C-alpha cells in the first residue's frame, strides 16, 4: 500500500467520527420524556444487553472493514491509474522512437541518393563568333541583327547517369537584361516539356558533352542620349539552361548559369560593355571576356 496522503488522513478521521456516532447511537437509550414515567421510578440511561453489544461490535468491525476496503479500492485505482499512465507514456515513447527511426531511415536514404545522383555542371562557356550585320533580311524589323556562335560543356559530376538531358540558351540585350531571370524560368519550363529541339541524350558518370549553338537576333542601333551623343555600349547576357533526370528517382533536375560578355580593359580596370560600332566593323574583339553572372540555379 502506498503512503497515506493528507486527504486520506482526513477521510479516515471523518470515518472515525462517523463510527463513533454510530456506536453512540447504538448505546444510547431511547428517549424518556419527563412526566411520563411512573412516580418514584428512576430513569435507566443504559439498558443495553449483550446482543446490543455484540451488534455494536459487529457494526464497528463492519464499518472498519468497509473503510479499509474503500481505502484499498482507492489505492488499487490509484495504482491502476499510475500503470495506465506509464503504459500510455511507454506507448508514446514507442511511437516517438518509431517516428525517429523512420526519419533516420528517410535521412539515410536521402543522403545515399544525394551521394549517388547525377550532378550536371556547365563549364567552358565561350563565344567563337559575334558580329553586327546591317540590313540582314527583309523580314528583320530592325536595321541591324546580331549573329552569335559559341559552345559550352556539360559534365556529369555524379555517380549515376543523367538521363533525358535537354539544353538551350536564352539571352537579353541592353535594357532587357533585368528580365533575364524570368526568361530563364520560361526556358526551363520549355525544357521540362521535352522539346525535341534541345535534346542532348544521356551523360554517364564523369562523362561530358560539348554543346555548340548559334543564333541571330534583332538588335536596335545605339540610342541617342541627347546633344547628339550616341551611347555605343552593347550589353549582352546569355544563360545556359539544362534539365535532366535520373534512373534513381522520378525527379526533374535543373542547372542554369548566366554569363555576360565584356571587353577586358587591361590590368587594374573593370571590363566594360561591347562597342556596337566596333562589333559591326570588326566582328569579335580580341579582348572579349565571358564573365559569370549571379543568376544561376542548381537542383
Amino acid at each position: 500500500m502506498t503512503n497515506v496522503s493528507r486527504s486520506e488522513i482526513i477521510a479516515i478521521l471523518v470515518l472515525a467520527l462517523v463510527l463513533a456516532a454510530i456506536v453512540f447511537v447504538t448505546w444510547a437509550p431511547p428517549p424518556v420524556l419527563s412526566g411520563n414515567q411512573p412516580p418514584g421510578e428512576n430513569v435507566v440511561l443504559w439498558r443495553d444487553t449483550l446482543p446490543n453489544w455484540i451488534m455494536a461490535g459487529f457494526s464497528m468491525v463492519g464499518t472498519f472493514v468497509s473503510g479499509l476496503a474503500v481505502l484499498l479500492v482507492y489505492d488499487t485505482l490509484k495504482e491502476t491509474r499510475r500503470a495506465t499512465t506509464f503504459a500510455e507514456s511507454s506507448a508514446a515513447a514507442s511511437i516517438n522512437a518509431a517516428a525517429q527511426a523512420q526519419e533516420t531511415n528517410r535521412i539515410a536514404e536521402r543522403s545515399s541518393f544525394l551521394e549517388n545522383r547525377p550532378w550536371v555542371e556547365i563549364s567552358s562557356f565561350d563565344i567563337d563568333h559575334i558580329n553586327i550585320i546591317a540590313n540582314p533580311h527583309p523580314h528583320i524589323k530592325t536595321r541591324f541583327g546580331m549573329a552569335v556562335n559559341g559552345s559550352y560543356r556539360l559534365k556529369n559530376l555524379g555517380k549515376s547517369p543523367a538521363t533525358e538531358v535537354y539544353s538551350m540558351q536564352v539571352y537579353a540585350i541592353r535594357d532587357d537584361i533585368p528580365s533575364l531571370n524570368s526568361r530563364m524560368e520560361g526556358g526551363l519550363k520549355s525544357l521540362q516539356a521535352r522539346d525535341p529541339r534541345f535534346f542532348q541524350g544521356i551523360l554517364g558518370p564523369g562523362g561530358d558533352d560539348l554543346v555548340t549553338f548559334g543564333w541571330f537576333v534583332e538588335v536596335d542601333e545605339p540610342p541617342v542620349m541627347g546633344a547628339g551623343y550616341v551611347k555605343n555600349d552593347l550589353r549582352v547576357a546569355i544563360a545556359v539552361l539544362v534539365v535532366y533526370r535520373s534512373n534513381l528517382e522520378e525527379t526533374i533536375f535543373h542547372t542554369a548559369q548566366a554569363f555576360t560578355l565584356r571587353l577586358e580593359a587591361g590590368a587594374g580596370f573593370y571590363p566594360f560593355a561591347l562597342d556596337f560600332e566596333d562589333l559591326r566593323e570588326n566582328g569579335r574583339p580580341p579582348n572579349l571576356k565571358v564573365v559569370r553572372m549571379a543568376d544561376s540555379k542548381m537542383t
Side-chain angles (χ1 to χ4, degrees):
M1 184 182 298
T2 59
N3 295 330
V4 181
S5 64
R6 180 179 299 176
S7 60
E8 293 172 345
I9 293 175
I10 296 175
I12 293 173
L13 292 177
V14 172
L15 182 62
L17 292 175
V18 173
L19 179 61
I22 293 174
V23 172
F24 179 77
V25 171
T26 304
W27 286 351
V32 178
L33 299 176
S34 176
N36 293 336
Q37 70 275 13
E41 186 174 323
N42 295 328
V43 178
V44 180
L45 297 178
W46 302 98
R47 297 179 182 178
D48 294 319
T49 62
L50 180 60
N52 295 124
W53 281 99
I54 294 174
M55 291 179 62
F58 276 109
S59 298
M60 294 173 61
V61 173
T63 305
F64 176 77
V65 171
S66 299
L68 184 61
V70 170
L71 291 178
L72 289 175
V73 170
Y74 172 77
D75 199 40
T76 302
L77 292 176
K78 189 175 180 181
E79 291 297 327
T80 303
R81 184 167 60 247
R82 182 180 301 173
T84 303
T85 303
F86 178 76
E88 291 176 351
S89 300
S90 300
S94 299
I95 295 174
N96 187 40
Q100 289 181 355
Q102 185 177 4
E103 179 66 13
T104 301
N105 293 335
R106 187 192 69 81
I107 294 175
E109 291 177 359
R110 189 61 182 169
S111 299
S112 176
F113 171 73
L114 293 176
E115 181 181 356
N116 294 283
R117 60 155 282 189
W119 294 90
V120 175
E121 176 195 41
I122 300 169
S123 62
S124 303
F125 184 89
D126 196 13
I127 298 297
D128 303 317
H129 172 82
I130 181 170
N131 201 358
I132 301 295
I133 301 174
N135 303 314
H137 194 276
H139 296 293
I140 299 296
K141 297 179 181 179
T142 58
R143 195 158 67 96
F144 296 98
M146 184 173 65
V148 179
N149 294 87
S151 63
Y152 53 90
R153 285 192 174 275
L154 301 179
K155 185 174 183 179
N156 182 6
L157 304 177
K159 297 181 180 180
S160 60
T163 62
E164 300 184 48
V165 181
Y166 290 79
S167 178
M168 66 178 296
Q169 315 84 41
V170 294
Y171 66 90
I173 302 173
R174 287 197 179 113
D175 296 336
D176 292 332
I177 289 181
S179 67
L180 181 64
N181 197 273
S182 61
R183 297 188 183 195
M184 293 169 64
E185 294 289 344
L188 289 173
K189 291 180 180 178
S190 176
L191 293 180
Q192 290 180 25
R194 306 182 184 184
D195 191 328
R197 294 175 297 170
F198 309 117
F199 180 69
Q200 298 297 140
I202 298 175
L203 275 178
D208 65 350
D209 188 18
L210 179 66
V211 182
T212 59
F213 65 92
W215 30 264
F216 186 87
V217 298
E218 301 176 4
V219 58
D220 294 328
E221 49 193 314
V224 177
M225 304 303 294
Y229 172 71
V230 177
K231 189 176 182 181
N232 247 349
D233 63 327
L234 179 63
R235 294 181 297 147
V236 178
I238 303 172
V240 177
L241 314 177
V242 184
V243 166
Y244 58 99
R245 288 172 170 80
S246 169
N247 54 10
L248 301 178
E249 186 178 276
E250 288 295 328
T251 304
I252 300 177
F253 304 103
H254 310 86
T255 303
Q257 179 61 61
F259 303 89
T260 183
L261 307 183
R262 297 185 181 277
L263 298 178
E264 188 63 64
F269 293 92
Y270 189 78
F272 53 89
L274 284 71
D275 184 271
F276 183 91
E277 292 298 332
D278 182 67
L279 278 179
R280 188 173 68 86
E281 295 176 3
N282 303 311
R284 183 187 188 280
N287 59 338
L288 182 67
K289 181 181 179 68
V290 177
V291 180
R292 285 179 178 265
M293 298 177 63
D295 300 284
S296 63
K297 300 178 184 295
M298 195 171 192
T299 62

